Amino acid sequence: MENVALRQGLYEVRQDFKALLVEALVEGQHTGQFCDDLDADATADRLMEAIQGMVISLSLDQQVGNPVEEVWVRLDAFLH
């Protein structure tokens, strides 16, 4: 809480990532991959929360591996 610059930087990274997720979800709606009534903004938030929770779990369990690969595996399972 004391490092304002770090918090602001992380917030900006999070917002940029969220924008990419929302864009991908909206594109998926346009191509028929997702239903039209999907709330892309809320879904992007839930996806980021799932990823953050997974990263924390991996860290607490001291699991060694490729976190990016783990994210893709879990996202694939989550989206299907």
Side-chain angles (χ1 to χ4, degrees), residues 1-8:
M1 293 302 268
E2 296 175 13
N3 193 331
V4 174
L6 177 62
R7 249 190 9 255
Q8 182 62 34

Side-chain angles (χ1 to χ4, degrees), residues 1 12 17 26 32 34 38-39 43 47 51 55 68 75 77:
M1 293 302 268
E12 290 172 10
F17 182 60
V26 169
F34 302 115
L38 177 79
D39 183 337
T43 302
L47 287 169
I51 292 168
V55 169
V68 174
L75 272 177

Side-chain angles (χ1 to χ4, degrees), residues 27-40:
E27 183 178 324
Q29 286 176 300
H30 292 292
T31 61
Q33 294 175 335
F34 302 115
C35 58
D36 289 335
D37 63 348
L38 177 79
D39 183 337

Side-chain angles (χ1 to χ4, degrees), residues 43 54 56 58 61:
T43 302
M54 189 243 6
I56 289 170
L58 290 174
D61 293 342

Side-chain angles (χ1 to χ4, degrees), residues 3 11 16-17 22 44 50 52 56-57 67 73:
N3 193 331
Y11 174 81
D16 290 346
F17 182 60
V22 169
Q52 290 168 343
I56 289 170
S57 292
V73 167

